[in-house]
Amino acid sequence: MAETDLLSPFDDEVIRGVAGTNNVDEEKLRSALADHQRTMRENPGVENLVYEWRKRFDEAVLHRTSETFFMAVRETVWQEYGTHLGLDDYLLAAVVAVHQEQVLREAAVDSDAIDEDAVAIVVSRPA
C-alpha cells in the first residue's frame, strides 16, 4: 500500500501548513499520518472502526464519501493511537491538527455540528 494512497484524503497544503506552523519535519508528519491510516485499515479495519465509533459516540459520522469518512470522536481515541504508534505528544498534536484542518476544509461538513468535546478524525477507505 503506497504512502500516497494512504495520504489521499489530505491536501498537501494542509500537511505543509501544519508542519510549518508546528515546526515539525514534514516527512516525519507524512510518515505518521500514513502509519495511522494503515493502522486503521489493518486493525480492526475501517468499517469495523466506523461501526464501533458510531455506537460509542453521538453524531460520530460528520460526512462520508465512497473514499473517506469524516468523523468526530473523543480525545481518548487519539491518545490510544498515539500510544500504539509510539508518537510523542508533539508529533501526535500535529497529526491531530492535520485531521482537524482537513475536516474543517471539507465543504460538506457543518463545523457547527461538531460537538465541543469531539476531535476530528479522517478515515480513508481502502481502494
Side-chain angles (χ1 to χ4, degrees):
M1 175 176 345
E3 187 171 294
T4 54
D5 176 48
L6 293 168
L7 297 180
S8 63
F10 305 105
D11 295 334
D12 282 336
E13 68 183 45
V14 170
I15 297 171
R16 273 197 265 350
V18 168
T21 300
N22 293 283
N23 200 25
V24 172
D25 179 74
E26 184 179 336
E27 288 311 308
K28 196 171 184 178
L29 178 56
R30 286 179 181 278
S31 179
L33 287 163
D35 288 347
H36 175 245
Q37 290 296 317
R38 186 179 299 105
T39 298
M40 289 190 293
R41 286 181 180 186
E42 294 174 356
N43 185 22
V46 170
E47 300 303 326
N48 290 336
L49 276 175
V50 170
Y51 175 76
E52 183 64 33
W53 290 338
R54 288 179 76 179
K55 285 182 9 184
R56 286 177 53 197
F57 310 120
D58 293 335
E59 316 260 346
V61 178
L62 301 169
H63 177 64
R64 69 177 169 188
T65 67
S66 58
E67 299 89 24
T68 309
F69 284 98
F70 298 88
M71 311 279 300
V73 297
R74 297 295 174 255
E75 188 175 348
T76 55
V77 169
W78 276 114
Q79 292 166 349
E80 291 169 9
Y81 277 118
T83 300
H84 178 76
L85 295 170
L87 303 177
D88 63 40
D89 290 343
Y90 203 69
L91 183 54
L92 177 60
V95 168
V96 174
V98 169
H99 283 257
Q100 289 276 95
E101 183 63 26
Q102 195 64 56
V103 168
L104 292 175
R105 289 180 181 222
E106 177 57 42
V109 173
D110 176 9
S111 59
D112 292 335
I114 301 172
D115 187 284
E116 66 184 38
D117 295 328
V119 182
I121 191 166
V122 177
V123 185
S124 66
R125 294 170 144 166

